[in-house]
PDB file of all heavy atoms in Angstrom:
ATOM      1  N   CYS A 338     -78.045  37.395  39.156  1.00  0.00           N
ATOM      2  CA  CYS A 338     -79.177  36.521  38.604  1.00  0.00           C
ATOM      3  C   CYS A 338     -80.452  37.095  38.955  1.00  0.00           C
ATOM      4  O   CYS A 338     -81.393  37.197  38.209  1.00  0.00           O
ATOM      5  CB  CYS A 338     -78.913  35.028  39.001  1.00  0.00           C
ATOM      6  SG  CYS A 338     -80.167  34.026  38.316  1.00  0.00           S
ATOM      7  N   ILE A 339     -80.593  37.370  40.330  1.00  0.00           N
ATOM      8  CA  ILE A 339     -81.879  37.966  40.842  1.00  0.00           C
ATOM      9  C   ILE A 339     -82.219  39.349  40.144  1.00  0.00           C
ATOM     10  O   ILE A 339     -83.289  39.515  39.779  1.00  0.00           O
ATOM     11  CB  ILE A 339     -81.747  38.175  42.355  1.00  0.00           C
ATOM     12  CG1 ILE A 339     -81.629  36.813  43.033  1.00  0.00           C
ATOM     13  CG2 ILE A 339     -82.961  39.021  42.906  1.00  0.00           C
ATOM     14  CD1 ILE A 339     -82.837  35.918  42.869  1.00  0.00           C
ATOM     15  N   HIS A 340     -81.117  40.101  39.862  1.00  0.00           N
ATOM     16  CA  HIS A 340     -81.322  41.410  39.267  1.00  0.00           C
ATOM     17  C   HIS A 340     -81.921  41.123  37.838  1.00  0.00           C
ATOM     18  O   HIS A 340     -82.851  41.864  37.407  1.00  0.00           O
ATOM     19  CB  HIS A 340     -80.076  42.154  39.147  1.00  0.00           C
ATOM     20  CG  HIS A 340     -80.178  43.524  38.634  1.00  0.00           C
ATOM     21  ND1 HIS A 340     -81.039  44.438  39.044  1.00  0.00           N
ATOM     22  CD2 HIS A 340     -79.440  44.109  37.572  1.00  0.00           C
ATOM     23  CE1 HIS A 340     -80.938  45.563  38.368  1.00  0.00           C
ATOM     24  NE2 HIS A 340     -79.993  45.381  37.443  1.00  0.00           N
ATOM     25  N   ARG A 341     -81.265  40.319  37.033  1.00  0.00           N
ATOM     26  CA  ARG A 341     -81.766  39.959  35.599  1.00  0.00           C
ATOM     27  C   ARG A 341     -83.180  39.371  35.779  1.00  0.00           C
ATOM     28  O   ARG A 341     -84.031  39.748  34.905  1.00  0.00           O
ATOM     29  CB  ARG A 341     -80.841  38.982  34.974  1.00  0.00           C
ATOM     30  CG  ARG A 341     -79.518  39.543  34.604  1.00  0.00           C
ATOM     31  CD  ARG A 341     -78.693  38.648  33.732  1.00  0.00           C
ATOM     32  NE  ARG A 341     -78.471  37.244  34.400  1.00  0.00           N
ATOM     33  CZ  ARG A 341     -77.296  37.027  35.105  1.00  0.00           C
ATOM     34  NH1 ARG A 341     -76.430  38.017  35.247  1.00  0.00           N
ATOM     35  NH2 ARG A 341     -77.147  35.861  35.655  1.00  0.00           N
ATOM     36  N   TYR A 342     -83.496  38.594  36.628  1.00  0.00           N
ATOM     37  CA  TYR A 342     -84.763  37.954  36.795  1.00  0.00           C
ATOM     38  C   TYR A 342     -85.845  39.034  37.031  1.00  0.00           C
ATOM     39  O   TYR A 342     -87.021  38.993  36.492  1.00  0.00           O
ATOM     40  CB  TYR A 342     -84.737  36.906  37.952  1.00  0.00           C
ATOM     41  CG  TYR A 342     -86.050  36.079  38.068  1.00  0.00           C
ATOM     42  CD1 TYR A 342     -86.223  34.911  37.429  1.00  0.00           C
ATOM     43  CD2 TYR A 342     -87.060  36.485  38.974  1.00  0.00           C
ATOM     44  CE1 TYR A 342     -87.406  34.164  37.609  1.00  0.00           C
ATOM     45  CE2 TYR A 342     -88.207  35.751  39.145  1.00  0.00           C
ATOM     46  CZ  TYR A 342     -88.422  34.597  38.432  1.00  0.00           C
ATOM     47  OH  TYR A 342     -89.518  33.830  38.704  1.00  0.00           O
ATOM     48  N   ARG A 343     -85.529  40.023  37.876  1.00  0.00           N
ATOM     49  CA  ARG A 343     -86.477  41.030  38.240  1.00  0.00           C
ATOM     50  C   ARG A 343     -86.794  41.978  37.039  1.00  0.00           C
ATOM     51  O   ARG A 343     -87.866  42.343  36.775  1.00  0.00           O
ATOM     52  CB  ARG A 343     -85.967  41.871  39.330  1.00  0.00           C
ATOM     53  CG  ARG A 343     -85.976  41.216  40.726  1.00  0.00           C
ATOM     54  CD  ARG A 343     -87.303  40.854  41.226  1.00  0.00           C
ATOM     55  NE  ARG A 343     -88.187  42.047  41.346  1.00  0.00           N
ATOM     56  CZ  ARG A 343     -89.421  42.061  41.175  1.00  0.00           C
ATOM     57  NH1 ARG A 343     -90.104  40.989  40.833  1.00  0.00           N
ATOM     58  NH2 ARG A 343     -90.051  43.243  41.401  1.00  0.00           N
ATOM     59  N   ARG A 344     -85.769  42.121  36.180  1.00  0.00           N
ATOM     60  CA  ARG A 344     -86.010  42.921  34.995  1.00  0.00           C
ATOM     61  C   ARG A 344     -86.911  42.304  34.060  1.00  0.00           C
ATOM     62  O   ARG A 344     -87.650  42.860  33.370  1.00  0.00           O
ATOM     63  CB  ARG A 344     -84.617  43.300  34.298  1.00  0.00           C
ATOM     64  CG  ARG A 344     -83.712  44.198  35.072  1.00  0.00           C
ATOM     65  CD  ARG A 344     -82.765  44.886  34.076  1.00  0.00           C
ATOM     66  NE  ARG A 344     -82.008  43.896  33.329  1.00  0.00           N
ATOM     67  CZ  ARG A 344     -80.856  43.411  33.719  1.00  0.00           C
ATOM     68  NH1 ARG A 344     -80.323  43.838  34.804  1.00  0.00           N
ATOM     69  NH2 ARG A 344     -80.159  42.591  32.974  1.00  0.00           N
ATOM     70  N   ARG A 345     -86.748  40.914  33.862  1.00  0.00           N
ATOM     71  CA  ARG A 345     -87.552  40.197  32.919  1.00  0.00           C
ATOM     72  C   ARG A 345     -88.995  39.906  33.367  1.00  0.00           C
ATOM     73  O   ARG A 345     -89.913  39.851  32.675  1.00  0.00           O
ATOM     74  CB  ARG A 345     -86.827  38.861  32.583  1.00  0.00           C
ATOM     75  CG  ARG A 345     -85.545  39.054  31.791  1.00  0.00           C
ATOM     76  CD  ARG A 345     -85.239  37.702  31.114  1.00  0.00           C
ATOM     77  NE  ARG A 345     -85.196  36.656  31.956  1.00  0.00           N
ATOM     78  CZ  ARG A 345     -84.055  36.229  32.685  1.00  0.00           C
ATOM     79  NH1 ARG A 345     -82.936  36.918  32.561  1.00  0.00           N
ATOM     80  NH2 ARG A 345     -84.114  35.127  33.400  1.00  0.00           N
ATOM     81  N   HIS A 346     -89.152  39.684  34.772  1.00  0.00           N
ATOM     82  CA  HIS A 346     -90.465  39.276  35.251  1.00  0.00           C
ATOM     83  C   HIS A 346     -90.793  40.234  36.480  1.00  0.00           C
ATOM     84  O   HIS A 346     -90.834  39.814  37.638  1.00  0.00           O
ATOM     85  CB  HIS A 346     -90.319  37.884  35.760  1.00  0.00           C
ATOM     86  CG  HIS A 346     -89.778  36.896  34.689  1.00  0.00           C
ATOM     87  ND1 HIS A 346     -90.493  36.617  33.558  1.00  0.00           N
ATOM     88  CD2 HIS A 346     -88.649  36.166  34.692  1.00  0.00           C
ATOM     89  CE1 HIS A 346     -89.738  35.772  32.907  1.00  0.00           C
ATOM     90  NE2 HIS A 346     -88.509  35.527  33.507  1.00  0.00           N
ATOM     91  N   PRO A 347     -91.171  41.415  36.241  1.00  0.00           N
ATOM     92  CA  PRO A 347     -91.403  42.371  37.311  1.00  0.00           C
ATOM     93  C   PRO A 347     -92.657  42.135  38.032  1.00  0.00           C
ATOM     94  O   PRO A 347     -92.833  42.561  39.228  1.00  0.00           O
ATOM     95  CB  PRO A 347     -91.519  43.738  36.594  1.00  0.00           C
ATOM     96  CG  PRO A 347     -91.956  43.431  35.144  1.00  0.00           C
ATOM     97  CD  PRO A 347     -91.169  42.092  34.831  1.00  0.00           C
ATOM     98  N   ALA A 348     -93.552  41.197  37.489  1.00  0.00           N
ATOM     99  CA  ALA A 348     -94.913  41.038  38.223  1.00  0.00           C
ATOM    100  C   ALA A 348     -94.633  39.926  39.221  1.00  0.00           C
ATOM    101  O   ALA A 348     -95.581  39.627  40.030  1.00  0.00           O
ATOM    102  CB  ALA A 348     -95.963  40.658  37.184  1.00  0.00           C
ATOM    103  N   ILE A 349     -93.492  39.192  39.182  1.00  0.00           N
ATOM    104  CA  ILE A 349     -93.304  38.077  40.191  1.00  0.00           C
ATOM    105  C   ILE A 349     -92.689  38.642  41.490  1.00  0.00           C
ATOM    106  O   ILE A 349     -91.774  39.427  41.440  1.00  0.00           O
ATOM    107  CB  ILE A 349     -92.454  37.038  39.572  1.00  0.00           C
ATOM    108  CG1 ILE A 349     -93.050  36.352  38.336  1.00  0.00           C
ATOM    109  CG2 ILE A 349     -92.089  35.926  40.623  1.00  0.00           C
ATOM    110  CD1 ILE A 349     -92.184  35.401  37.664  1.00  0.00           C
ATOM    111  N   GLN A 350     -93.357  38.365  42.576  1.00  0.00           N
ATOM    112  CA  GLN A 350     -92.896  38.725  43.879  1.00  0.00           C
ATOM    113  C   GLN A 350     -91.842  37.737  44.342  1.00  0.00           C
ATOM    114  O   GLN A 350     -92.017  36.460  44.370  1.00  0.00           O
ATOM    115  CB  GLN A 350     -94.028  38.797  44.851  1.00  0.00           C
ATOM    116  CG  GLN A 350     -93.671  39.253  46.288  1.00  0.00           C
ATOM    117  CD  GLN A 350     -94.700  39.039  47.268  1.00  0.00           C
ATOM    118  OE1 GLN A 350     -95.876  38.794  46.928  1.00  0.00           O
ATOM    119  NE2 GLN A 350     -94.375  39.169  48.506  1.00  0.00           N
ATOM    120  N   LEU A 351     -90.693  38.317  44.704  1.00  0.00           N
ATOM    121  CA  LEU A 351     -89.607  37.473  45.280  1.00  0.00           C
ATOM    122  C   LEU A 351     -89.513  37.778  46.824  1.00  0.00           C
ATOM    123  O   LEU A 351     -89.463  38.879  47.197  1.00  0.00           O
ATOM    124  CB  LEU A 351     -88.223  37.730  44.620  1.00  0.00           C
ATOM    125  CG  LEU A 351     -88.029  37.406  43.104  1.00  0.00           C
ATOM    126  CD1 LEU A 351     -86.691  37.879  42.710  1.00  0.00           C
ATOM    127  CD2 LEU A 351     -88.367  36.003  42.967  1.00  0.00           C
ATOM    128  N   GLN A 352     -89.446  36.692  47.498  1.00  0.00           N
ATOM    129  CA  GLN A 352     -89.258  36.661  48.923  1.00  0.00           C
ATOM    130  C   GLN A 352     -88.045  35.960  49.299  1.00  0.00           C
ATOM    131  O   GLN A 352     -87.939  34.793  49.148  1.00  0.00           O
ATOM    132  CB  GLN A 352     -90.506  36.149  49.670  1.00  0.00           C
ATOM    133  CG  GLN A 352     -90.370  36.066  51.183  1.00  0.00           C
ATOM    134  CD  GLN A 352     -91.491  35.293  51.833  1.00  0.00           C
ATOM    135  OE1 GLN A 352     -92.626  35.184  51.311  1.00  0.00           O
ATOM    136  NE2 GLN A 352     -91.191  34.730  52.974  1.00  0.00           N
ATOM    137  N   ILE A 353     -86.949  36.637  49.801  1.00  0.00           N
ATOM    138  CA  ILE A 353     -85.715  36.070  50.240  1.00  0.00           C
ATOM    139  C   ILE A 353     -85.547  36.080  51.688  1.00  0.00           C
ATOM    140  O   ILE A 353     -85.564  37.178  52.289  1.00  0.00           O
ATOM    141  CB  ILE A 353     -84.575  36.815  49.449  1.00  0.00           C
ATOM    142  CG1 ILE A 353     -84.814  36.779  48.029  1.00  0.00           C
ATOM    143  CG2 ILE A 353     -83.253  36.161  49.868  1.00  0.00           C
ATOM    144  CD1 ILE A 353     -83.677  37.633  47.222  1.00  0.00           C
ATOM    145  N   SER A 354     -85.449  34.959  52.300  1.00  0.00           N
ATOM    146  CA  SER A 354     -85.355  34.837  53.737  1.00  0.00           C
ATOM    147  C   SER A 354     -84.027  34.201  54.118  1.00  0.00           C
ATOM    148  O   SER A 354     -83.593  33.281  53.572  1.00  0.00           O
ATOM    149  CB  SER A 354     -86.465  33.916  54.345  1.00  0.00           C
ATOM    150  OG  SER A 354     -87.675  34.451  53.949  1.00  0.00           O
ATOM    151  N   GLU A 355     -83.314  34.921  55.106  1.00  0.00           N
ATOM    152  CA  GLU A 355     -82.048  34.375  55.581  1.00  0.00           C
ATOM    153  C   GLU A 355     -82.373  33.550  56.898  1.00  0.00           C
ATOM    154  O   GLU A 355     -82.977  34.037  57.895  1.00  0.00           O
ATOM    155  CB  GLU A 355     -81.144  35.517  55.964  1.00  0.00           C
ATOM    156  CG  GLU A 355     -79.732  34.987  56.458  1.00  0.00           C
ATOM    157  CD  GLU A 355     -78.750  36.021  56.737  1.00  0.00           C
ATOM    158  OE1 GLU A 355     -78.306  36.727  55.804  1.00  0.00           O
ATOM    159  OE2 GLU A 355     -78.547  36.399  58.017  1.00  0.00           O
ATOM    160  N   LEU A 356     -81.970  32.307  56.736  1.00  0.00           N
ATOM    161  CA  LEU A 356     -82.228  31.320  57.916  1.00  0.00           C
ATOM    162  C   LEU A 356     -81.060  30.476  58.152  1.00  0.00           C
ATOM    163  O   LEU A 356     -80.212  30.371  57.349  1.00  0.00           O
ATOM    164  CB  LEU A 356     -83.462  30.440  57.509  1.00  0.00           C
ATOM    165  CG  LEU A 356     -84.789  31.118  57.160  1.00  0.00           C
ATOM    166  CD1 LEU A 356     -85.663  30.105  56.493  1.00  0.00           C
ATOM    167  CD2 LEU A 356     -85.357  31.653  58.387  1.00  0.00           C
ATOM    168  N   ARG A 357     -81.018  29.814  59.332  1.00  0.00           N
ATOM    169  CA  ARG A 357     -80.042  28.928  59.713  1.00  0.00           C
ATOM    170  C   ARG A 357     -80.157  27.676  58.733  1.00  0.00           C
ATOM    171  O   ARG A 357     -81.228  27.328  58.301  1.00  0.00           O
ATOM    172  CB  ARG A 357     -79.982  28.463  61.134  1.00  0.00           C
ATOM    173  CG  ARG A 357     -79.959  29.668  62.118  1.00  0.00           C
ATOM    174  CD  ARG A 357     -78.779  30.579  61.839  1.00  0.00           C
ATOM    175  NE  ARG A 357     -77.485  29.962  61.851  1.00  0.00           N
ATOM    176  CZ  ARG A 357     -76.332  30.428  61.366  1.00  0.00           C
ATOM    177  NH1 ARG A 357     -76.488  31.672  60.768  1.00  0.00           N
ATOM    178  NH2 ARG A 357     -75.213  29.805  61.536  1.00  0.00           N
ATOM    179  N   PRO A 358     -79.070  26.925  58.412  1.00  0.00           N
ATOM    180  CA  PRO A 358     -79.122  25.795  57.505  1.00  0.00           C
ATOM    181  C   PRO A 358     -80.282  24.817  57.828  1.00  0.00           C
ATOM    182  O   PRO A 358     -80.990  24.412  56.930  1.00  0.00           O
ATOM    183  CB  PRO A 358     -77.736  25.194  57.645  1.00  0.00           C
ATOM    184  CG  PRO A 358     -76.814  26.366  58.020  1.00  0.00           C
ATOM    185  CD  PRO A 358     -77.687  27.244  58.827  1.00  0.00           C
ATOM    186  N   ALA A 359     -80.414  24.493  59.160  1.00  0.00           N
ATOM    187  CA  ALA A 359     -81.408  23.431  59.436  1.00  0.00           C
ATOM    188  C   ALA A 359     -82.893  23.934  59.143  1.00  0.00           C
ATOM    189  O   ALA A 359     -83.723  23.270  58.718  1.00  0.00           O
ATOM    190  CB  ALA A 359     -81.344  23.039  60.872  1.00  0.00           C
ATOM    191  N   HIS A 360     -83.049  25.273  59.294  1.00  0.00           N
ATOM    192  CA  HIS A 360     -84.383  25.868  59.031  1.00  0.00           C
ATOM    193  C   HIS A 360     -84.678  25.974  57.528  1.00  0.00           C
ATOM    194  O   HIS A 360     -85.803  25.959  57.096  1.00  0.00           O
ATOM    195  CB  HIS A 360     -84.505  27.270  59.721  1.00  0.00           C
ATOM    196  CG  HIS A 360     -84.362  27.255  61.196  1.00  0.00           C
ATOM    197  ND1 HIS A 360     -83.946  28.306  61.949  1.00  0.00           N
ATOM    198  CD2 HIS A 360     -84.556  26.222  62.083  1.00  0.00           C
ATOM    199  CE1 HIS A 360     -84.002  27.933  63.251  1.00  0.00           C
ATOM    200  NE2 HIS A 360     -84.439  26.747  63.358  1.00  0.00           N
ATOM    201  N   LEU A 361     -83.587  26.168  56.739  1.00  0.00           N
ATOM    202  CA  LEU A 361     -83.727  26.114  55.326  1.00  0.00           C
ATOM    203  C   LEU A 361     -84.370  24.811  54.842  1.00  0.00           C
ATOM    204  O   LEU A 361     -85.323  24.761  54.082  1.00  0.00           O
ATOM    205  CB  LEU A 361     -82.358  26.342  54.627  1.00  0.00           C
ATOM    206  CG  LEU A 361     -81.757  27.683  54.749  1.00  0.00           C
ATOM    207  CD1 LEU A 361     -80.384  27.712  54.040  1.00  0.00           C
ATOM    208  CD2 LEU A 361     -82.636  28.808  54.116  1.00  0.00           C
ATOM    209  N   LEU A 362     -83.947  23.692  55.347  1.00  0.00           N
ATOM    210  CA  LEU A 362     -84.324  22.407  54.863  1.00  0.00           C
ATOM    211  C   LEU A 362     -85.787  22.144  55.367  1.00  0.00           C
ATOM    212  O   LEU A 362     -86.593  21.567  54.659  1.00  0.00           O
ATOM    213  CB  LEU A 362     -83.392  21.290  55.374  1.00  0.00           C
ATOM    214  CG  LEU A 362     -82.024  21.335  54.826  1.00  0.00           C
ATOM    215  CD1 LEU A 362     -81.090  20.078  55.225  1.00  0.00           C
ATOM    216  CD2 LEU A 362     -81.809  21.606  53.287  1.00  0.00           C
ATOM    217  N   ALA A 363     -86.036  22.650  56.572  1.00  0.00           N
ATOM    218  CA  ALA A 363     -87.410  22.571  57.098  1.00  0.00           C
ATOM    219  C   ALA A 363     -88.418  23.342  56.323  1.00  0.00           C
ATOM    220  O   ALA A 363     -89.436  22.911  56.085  1.00  0.00           O
ATOM    221  CB  ALA A 363     -87.449  22.958  58.588  1.00  0.00           C
ATOM    222  N   GLY A 364     -87.939  24.517  55.871  1.00  0.00           N
ATOM    223  CA  GLY A 364     -88.818  25.252  55.028  1.00  0.00           C
ATOM    224  C   GLY A 364     -89.124  24.635  53.676  1.00  0.00           C
ATOM    225  O   GLY A 364     -90.246  24.774  53.167  1.00  0.00           O
ATOM    226  N   MET A 365     -88.196  23.923  53.042  1.00  0.00           N
ATOM    227  CA  MET A 365     -88.405  23.131  51.979  1.00  0.00           C
ATOM    228  C   MET A 365     -89.356  22.058  52.186  1.00  0.00           C
ATOM    229  O   MET A 365     -90.400  21.782  51.371  1.00  0.00           O
ATOM    230  CB  MET A 365     -87.106  22.628  51.295  1.00  0.00           C
ATOM    231  CG  MET A 365     -86.238  23.650  50.709  1.00  0.00           C
ATOM    232  SD  MET A 365     -86.895  24.331  49.231  1.00  0.00           S
ATOM    233  CE  MET A 365     -86.945  22.921  48.060  1.00  0.00           C
ATOM    234  N   ARG A 366     -89.185  21.244  53.232  1.00  0.00           N
ATOM    235  CA  ARG A 366     -90.124  20.106  53.544  1.00  0.00           C
ATOM    236  C   ARG A 366     -91.567  20.596  53.842  1.00  0.00           C
ATOM    237  O   ARG A 366     -92.519  19.932  53.494  1.00  0.00           O
ATOM    238  CB  ARG A 366     -89.555  19.379  54.705  1.00  0.00           C
ATOM    239  CG  ARG A 366     -88.305  18.534  54.454  1.00  0.00           C
ATOM    240  CD  ARG A 366     -88.053  17.610  55.533  1.00  0.00           C
ATOM    241  NE  ARG A 366     -87.822  18.231  56.846  1.00  0.00           N
ATOM    242  CZ  ARG A 366     -86.711  18.612  57.256  1.00  0.00           C
ATOM    243  NH1 ARG A 366     -85.549  18.414  56.682  1.00  0.00           N
ATOM    244  NH2 ARG A 366     -86.556  19.251  58.556  1.00  0.00           N
ATOM    245  N   GLU A 367     -91.664  21.750  54.423  1.00  0.00           N
ATOM    246  CA  GLU A 367     -92.976  22.207  54.877  1.00  0.00           C
ATOM    247  C   GLU A 367     -93.683  23.130  53.766  1.00  0.00           C
ATOM    248  O   GLU A 367     -94.865  23.455  53.994  1.00  0.00           O
ATOM    249  CB  GLU A 367     -92.846  23.102  56.213  1.00  0.00           C
ATOM    250  CG  GLU A 367     -92.386  22.274  57.370  1.00  0.00           C
ATOM    251  CD  GLU A 367     -92.178  23.174  58.584  1.00  0.00           C
ATOM    252  OE1 GLU A 367     -92.385  24.394  58.512  1.00  0.00           O
ATOM    253  OE2 GLU A 367     -91.859  22.654  59.656  1.00  0.00           O
ATOM    254  N   GLY A 368     -92.938  23.378  52.667  1.00  0.00           N
ATOM    255  CA  GLY A 368     -93.578  24.127  51.601  1.00  0.00           C
ATOM    256  C   GLY A 368     -93.540  25.589  51.696  1.00  0.00           C
ATOM    257  O   GLY A 368     -94.139  26.277  50.878  1.00  0.00           O
ATOM    258  N   THR A 369     -92.783  26.134  52.768  1.00  0.00           N
ATOM    259  CA  THR A 369     -92.807  27.579  52.936  1.00  0.00           C
ATOM    260  C   THR A 369     -91.725  28.162  51.987  1.00  0.00           C
ATOM    261  O   THR A 369     -91.643  29.397  51.781  1.00  0.00           O
ATOM    262  CB  THR A 369     -92.554  27.935  54.401  1.00  0.00           C
ATOM    263  OG1 THR A 369     -91.340  27.442  54.718  1.00  0.00           O
ATOM    264  CG2 THR A 369     -93.697  27.551  55.227  1.00  0.00           C
ATOM    265  N   LEU A 370     -90.822  27.359  51.479  1.00  0.00           N
ATOM    266  CA  LEU A 370     -89.795  27.831  50.509  1.00  0.00           C
ATOM    267  C   LEU A 370     -89.820  27.069  49.267  1.00  0.00           C
ATOM    268  O   LEU A 370     -90.139  25.870  49.248  1.00  0.00           O
ATOM    269  CB  LEU A 370     -88.361  27.668  51.243  1.00  0.00           C
ATOM    270  CG  LEU A 370     -88.105  28.451  52.506  1.00  0.00           C
ATOM    271  CD1 LEU A 370     -86.744  28.047  52.981  1.00  0.00           C
ATOM    272  CD2 LEU A 370     -88.141  29.907  52.214  1.00  0.00           C
ATOM    273  N   ASP A 371     -89.586  27.743  48.103  1.00  0.00           N
ATOM    274  CA  ASP A 371     -89.578  27.119  46.810  1.00  0.00           C
ATOM    275  C   ASP A 371     -88.208  26.479  46.487  1.00  0.00           C
ATOM    276  O   ASP A 371     -88.084  25.516  45.682  1.00  0.00           O
ATOM    277  CB  ASP A 371     -90.072  28.015  45.776  1.00  0.00           C
ATOM    278  CG  ASP A 371     -91.401  28.476  45.908  1.00  0.00           C
ATOM    279  OD1 ASP A 371     -92.351  27.654  45.839  1.00  0.00           O
ATOM    280  OD2 ASP A 371     -91.724  29.702  46.179  1.00  0.00           O
ATOM    281  N   LEU A 372     -87.212  27.211  46.893  1.00  0.00           N
ATOM    282  CA  LEU A 372     -85.768  26.757  46.663  1.00  0.00           C
ATOM    283  C   LEU A 372     -84.828  27.411  47.620  1.00  0.00           C
ATOM    284  O   LEU A 372     -85.141  28.484  48.232  1.00  0.00           O
ATOM    285  CB  LEU A 372     -85.361  27.252  45.245  1.00  0.00           C
ATOM    286  CG  LEU A 372     -85.495  28.638  44.782  1.00  0.00           C
ATOM    287  CD1 LEU A 372     -84.129  29.275  44.641  1.00  0.00           C
ATOM    288  CD2 LEU A 372     -86.299  28.791  43.564  1.00  0.00           C
TER     289      LEU A 372
END
Side-chain angles (χ1 to χ4, degrees):
C338 183
I339 293 296
H340 183 54
R341 290 192 296 269
Y342 186 87
R343 291 295 298 146
R344 287 204 307 267
R345 293 199 306 270
H346 310 293
I349 297 174
Q350 177 187 354
L351 292 181
Q352 176 186 333
I353 303 175
S354 302
E355 182 179 284
L356 302 166
R357 303 310 300 165
H360 295 157
L361 291 174
L362 301 188
M365 287 294 295
R366 290 193 299 269
E367 295 175 358
T369 57
L370 298 174
D371 295 299
L372 54 113

